[in-house]
Amino acid sequence: MILGKLPLYRVWKARYGTHFKRRRFERIMKLVPLSSDHPVRILEVGCSSGKDFIQFLDGPNVEIWGVDLDDDAARSIQHSGFHFVHADAEQLPFDDKFFDLVVSIGLLEHIEPMEKLCRVIAEFDRVGVHQLSVIPSVSTIIEPHCGRLFFPRRLEKTMIGDQPGQILHLNFLSDHSWTKFEGFRNCQVTRLF
Ligand SMILES: C[S@@+](CC[C@H](N)C(=O)[O-])C[C@H]1O[C@@H](n2cnc3c(N)ncnc32)[C@H](O)[C@@H]1O
């Protein structure tokens, strides 16, 4: 069943989407030990229009950067003091440990090939003191890219095509597998719903 195609689901998402994004923002920010005695530098990689994260950041003590390959969406970000940098996540133009926190939401499941994914995660580790990535779990009940119920159903032909060589362009790894990346060593896995 594809929930994402149901009109009721679209209404639900439009009406309550921001509420749940805010709730996720509040939950993930509790996971990061950020000090408030100096301005905190935060980078979102794959920031798009900032609807997942940047829109909720507030306060005089926060300096916000965003990186994306697509600068169109980022132009809509009106946050005061927001700096946008057009760059590829695998080569971030910042000094080592420049940021107190590097965030990505809905980015890493799209990065391929795997060699590039390794470089991207290594960059997060290089430029950030702390890092936080939100990635769909392999055991998610609702596949978030198509609103389809239950993980195994995502492998249907409608999602990957039926031509030889067509593959699913999404990284769905187990929680445990994500911790195997060198850039994620010492990272903690937390399930959100
Ligand atoms: C699903 S969107 C993230 C949405 C975003 N978190 C928000 O608040 O709207 C993924 C974003 O990652 C960007 N992206 C994909 N690959 C990238 C890369 N290699 N380097 C930088 N940005 C990338 C895409 O352009 C897209 O805007």
Side-chain angles (χ1 to χ4, degrees):
M1 179 184 207
I2 305 177
L3 289 178
K5 291 198 172 163
L6 299 177
L8 196 62
Y9 176 79
R10 285 203 289 269
V11 171
W12 180 85
K13 200 173 167 194
R15 196 166 288 179
Y16 302 109
T18 305
H19 165 79
F20 285 107
K21 284 178 185 211
R22 178 182 289 283
R23 193 181 72 146
R24 175 175 65 189
F25 170 84
E26 287 165 359
R27 287 189 63 188
I28 62 180
M29 289 307 274
K30 283 194 188 129
L31 301 172
V32 198
L34 289 178
S35 135
S36 56
D37 56 5
H38 70 279
V40 174
R41 285 185 192 149
I42 300 183
L43 167 70
E44 184 183 5
V45 184
C47 63
S48 189
S49 56
K51 295 271 186 302
D52 284 340
F53 184 75
I54 290 172
Q55 68 163 328
F56 304 117
L57 281 170
D58 221 349
N61 254 2
V62 186
E63 294 174 8
I64 311 161
W65 274 258
V67 160
D68 207 296
L69 282 177
D70 170 13
D71 37 12
D72 284 351
R75 278 199 205 101
S76 66
I77 300 179
Q78 299 296 326
H79 232 73
S80 64
F82 172 69
H83 314 270
F84 176 72
V85 178
H86 181 112
D88 193 313
E90 71 177 322
Q91 214 168 4
L92 294 171
F94 304 106
D95 292 340
D96 295 359
K97 304 296 175 200
F98 183 74
F99 295 101
D100 297 285
L101 175 63
V102 176
V103 173
S104 78
I105 299 183
L107 170 73
L108 296 182
E109 67 269 28
H110 297 291
I111 303 285
E112 58 184 27
M114 289 306 242
E115 291 80 0
K116 177 164 178 163
L117 183 60
C118 294
R119 290 194 292 275
V120 169
I121 296 171
E123 278 295 83
F124 291 3
D125 186 40
R126 182 184 67 77
V127 302
V129 176
H130 299 288
Q131 56 163 310
L132 195 157
S133 286
V134 178
I135 312 157
S137 165
V138 73
S139 44
T140 182
I141 296 169
I142 302 172
E143 201 296 309
H145 295 88
C146 62
R148 193 179 289 259
L149 273 179
F150 300 115
F151 159 73
R153 307 294 293 169
R154 79 180 198 278
L155 292 174
E156 283 178 6
K157 282 186 178 161
T158 48
M159 283 191 75
I160 56 174
D162 51 10
Q163 298 303 310
Q166 283 188 314
I167 58 163
L168 179 74
H169 292 285
L170 285 171
N171 304 320
F172 272 105
L173 310 181
S174 69
D175 298 2
H176 186 65
S177 304
W178 283 106
T179 65
K180 300 291 183 190
F181 288 91
E182 174 64 17
F184 278 158
R185 70 189 174 288
N186 304 326
C187 278
Q188 172 198 334
V189 176
T190 302
R191 285 275 181 97
L192 302 172
F193 186 77

